[in-house]
Amino acid sequence: MSLPFEEVHRQSSFIFADAPDEDKYSVCVHCGFCLEVCPTYQEWSDENHSPRGRVYLIKQTAEGHLTLNEDVMDPVFTCLDCRACESVCPSGVQVGALIEEARGQVFYANPKRGWRGWLEQLFLREIFPHPKRLQKLRALTRFYQVSGLQTWVRRLGLLRILPRHLQALEAAMPEVTVQPLLGNSENLPMVDGKSSTRKNTGEKGKVALFTGCVMDVFYTHVHEATAEVLLRNHFQVHVPSEQKCCGALQVHAGDRDTARSLARKNIQAFLNSDADYIVVNAAGCGALLKEYPELFRNYPEEMERAELFASKVRDISELLFEKGWEPPKGELCETVAYHDACHLCHAQKIRHQPRALLASIPGLQLVDLPDADRCCGSAGIYNLTHPEMAQRLLERKLADIPDDVSTLAMGNPGCLLQISSGLKEKNVPVKVVHTVELLQRAYRMEGEGEDGAAKTCAN
Ligand code: SF4
Ligand code: SF4
């Protein structure tokens, strides 16, 4: 006999704020359509580590049939939060949100102790939320890269004390540039359009660029490309200086209070900027920014602003597609495959927009990547917490890259780092770039041929 709702609710093992929402788990009809697209189920063939199994586990815990602890909730942590299951679920079960809410319960019920707890606290609360501290870490990384220390560490084989996946990530780490974009946008002439060779009318609206944390440390050049492409397409571009990290890493780890505090600061900074659009070039950040209202579902007085904020958020490919872009005239003679970052295709349903941008580049051959929307194993910090599964998924992704491909394009920094580390380790000479970098290059190629004509693949 089933218990009345109030009784069930009272007996729930989820006792902290933001518990998994009954409206989300109760709509699962156990059909199993999600099993075959779930990377962990594909690898382990274990129902516990499938979407259906995880939703059932959450329901059982919500109803008090299971106790709340990290061991019981292990399948919630082996989940990549890739949300491939959501793309095929006929009932619209929000598996990603349920997983994140369940992790929140474990985070508060069983705070990590010892060095793991200290490290988690250090990164989630003391470094990523504070741009100035993040910049110190950035400066240290740059010092490591340019002072010769990295060369000596590699030459002496000191990295051999690290696990293999960390060695691969270190090898693929992009060179940290001198300055981040946040706080230095005035130094980039392209941002105010002064050095643009074409007149930027700004007629398409005012864009506030979201810089993020990891993206602005390792991929500042992608921000520059984003700003340049937006200016080329007649948007005004601004970089609100009070913005913070989006909070996605905290949400994935279960630290919802820190994520909410970051969300409040971002909502304030971006709504104050009076921008028409908030543009993101990192799929993971974009997905969370669009889902800020979910973080405030128990805070009705803040919901309106969270919804207004979310309504302005666009991935760079989404905005260009929505408002129209000028197809570049410069040719890129490359064979390109596109990898769908999970948080673009499954979480934001953005699939055709980046492909349309790439297809508009003259000379560029766009070819299919088999299973392009299967996770590469990066998944936030999953490649650090579950390296064995992350490596298996990376191997599958690398094996799928067609032989004739010269460049792999994508829209997320985690995927960029993960896939480049795999390719570098195997000495595969395929370039890995953000989609917007190819557009930037094609625009820059305009007028580079003889007599100022666009350069062609033939000359
Ligand atoms: S596809 Fe959706 S409804 Fe069907 S078992 Fe999976 S989560 Fe449940
Ligand atoms: S989010 Fe990804 S890993 Fe998690 S249950 Fe869904 S498909 Fe599986």
Side-chain angles (χ1 to χ4, degrees):
M1 190 184 76
S2 59
L3 291 163
F5 172 75
E6 281 193 1
E7 191 69 7
V8 168
H9 193 68
R10 199 172 58 76
Q11 291 184 358
S12 174
S13 299
F14 293 135
I15 53 169
F16 298 93
D18 286 348
D21 194 354
E22 192 190 8
D23 290 347
K24 296 189 186 109
Y25 59 73
S26 63
V27 292
C28 175
V29 293
H30 316 296
C31 63
F33 287 171
C34 52
L35 299 188
E36 291 311 318
V37 299
C38 173
T40 53
Y41 183 76
Q42 285 174 348
E43 292 295 325
W44 288 330
S45 303
D46 179 348
E47 175 84 25
N48 289 317
H49 297 275
S50 76
R52 183 169 65 183
R54 290 173 174 124
V55 173
Y56 186 67
L57 171 73
I58 288 168
K59 180 171 184 286
Q60 290 290 94
T61 314
E63 293 176 354
H65 304 304
L66 294 171
T67 50
L68 179 63
N69 67 56
E70 210 166 330
D71 292 336
V72 170
M73 300 299 275
D74 181 52
V76 158
F77 289 90
T78 61
C79 171
L80 294 138
D81 202 4
C82 69
R83 296 163 72 165
C85 43
E86 294 185 10
S87 287
V88 297
C89 176
S91 303
V93 179
Q94 297 171 48
V95 180
L98 282 171
I99 293 286
E100 288 162 1
E101 287 160 356
R103 286 182 185 176
Q105 298 297 302
V106 179
F107 184 86
Y108 296 111
N110 302 99
K112 290 195 180 71
R113 302 191 191 286
W115 67 270
R116 280 178 70 208
W118 178 82
L119 215 57
E120 187 171 85
Q121 182 91 358
L122 179 72
F123 279 95
L124 295 183
R125 295 191 166 173
E126 304 301 332
I127 294 182
F128 284 115
H130 305 281
K132 287 198 174 129
R133 294 180 198 168
L134 196 60
Q135 290 323 324
K136 285 194 179 129
L137 191 65
R138 179 183 205 288
L140 277 176
T141 310
R142 182 165 167 78
F143 175 77
Y144 169 71
Q145 290 179 330
V146 302
S147 65
L149 190 59
Q150 185 176 41
T151 314
W152 276 107
V153 166
R154 287 176 178 177
R155 219 173 263 168
L156 293 171
L158 297 180
L159 291 170
R160 282 202 290 269
I161 59 165
L162 295 177
R164 182 182 146 206
H165 66 286
L166 289 185
Q167 291 179 40
L169 285 176
E170 194 275 348
M173 198 164 56
E175 191 176 316
V176 172
T177 48
V178 181
Q179 284 184 321
L181 187 60
L182 184 61
N184 296 295
S185 59
E186 71 285 356
N187 295 337
L188 297 172
M190 70 186 70
V191 169
D192 60 15
K194 282 178 199 155
S195 73
S196 177
T197 51
R198 287 162 191 268
K199 187 166 162 38
N200 171 22
T201 61
E203 69 197 24
K204 289 216 179 122
K206 183 173 170 183
V207 161
L209 185 60
F210 183 79
T211 54
C213 51
V214 174
M215 200 74 182
D216 209 20
V217 171
F218 291 121
Y219 297 101
T220 309
H221 61 281
V222 176
H223 287 332
E224 292 169 8
T226 306
E228 192 170 321
V229 167
L230 286 167
L231 283 162
R232 174 70 175 72
N233 284 286
H234 306 293
F235 290 94
Q236 300 164 43
V237 183
H238 300 265
V239 185
S241 57
E242 297 303 313
Q243 63 178 295
K244 308 283 179 207
C245 149
C246 66
L249 291 176
Q250 288 80 359
V251 167
H252 293 168
D255 186 358
R256 297 177 74 83
D257 287 336
T258 304
R260 215 171 352 254
S261 141
L262 289 165
R264 287 192 180 102
K265 289 173 184 153
N266 280 327
I267 290 170
Q268 171 92 354
F270 282 91
L271 293 187
N272 281 353
S273 78
D274 204 24
D276 301 305
Y277 305 101
I278 299 161
V279 166
V280 198
N281 50 28
C285 306
L288 184 72
L289 296 178
K290 287 180 179 176
E291 289 169 2
Y292 270 180
E294 182 69 30
L295 274 178
F296 291 98
R297 72 184 161 89
N298 297 321
Y299 299 76
E301 66 288 359
E302 295 180 83
M303 185 55 97
E304 196 180 328
R305 276 168 67 78
E307 284 178 341
L308 175 62
F309 173 94
S311 71
K312 291 174 181 249
V313 178
R314 302 283 189 287
D315 180 72
I316 175 65
S317 63
E318 186 181 21
L319 182 69
L320 290 170
F321 190 85
E322 181 184 321
K323 302 294 288 180
W325 78 104
E326 286 184 24
K329 295 185 188 65
E331 290 194 352
L332 290 189
C333 313
E334 302 201 27
T335 305
V336 178
Y338 177 76
H339 156 74
D340 288 281
C342 300
H343 281 83
L344 261 192
C345 67
H346 300 306
Q348 300 184 60
K349 312 297 177 212
I350 295 174
R351 291 173 183 266
H352 63 278
Q353 297 92 328
R355 289 180 169 86
L357 296 178
L358 292 171
S360 77
I361 299 176
L364 186 150
Q365 297 283 325
L366 187 60
V367 297
D368 282 340
L369 176 69
D371 284 330
D373 64 353
R374 195 187 51 234
C375 182
C376 66
S378 169
I381 55 165
Y382 192 90
N383 53 359
L384 303 179
T385 56
H386 296 81
E388 197 258 342
M389 173 59 77
Q391 185 64 28
R392 283 202 210 187
L393 298 178
L394 176 59
E395 298 284 346
R396 286 185 67 174
K397 182 61 68 183
L398 299 181
D400 283 341
I401 300 174
D403 290 342
D404 58 343
V405 161
S406 61
T407 305
L408 204 56
M410 58 203 72
N412 191 49
C415 310
L416 285 166
L417 195 54
Q418 171 85 342
I419 295 176
S420 1
S421 77
L423 290 169
K424 198 157 187 174
E425 200 184 17
K426 292 184 184 312
N427 281 321
V428 179
V430 171
K431 288 171 274 182
V432 180
V433 297
H434 193 286
T435 307
V436 81
E437 289 180 80
L438 291 174
L439 266 185
Q440 178 198 37
R441 277 178 48 205
Y443 284 131
R444 287 183 171 187
M445 295 287 283
E446 290 177 344
E448 287 209 354
E450 286 173 25
D451 306 325
K455 194 173 178 180
T456 70
C457 290
N459 57 35

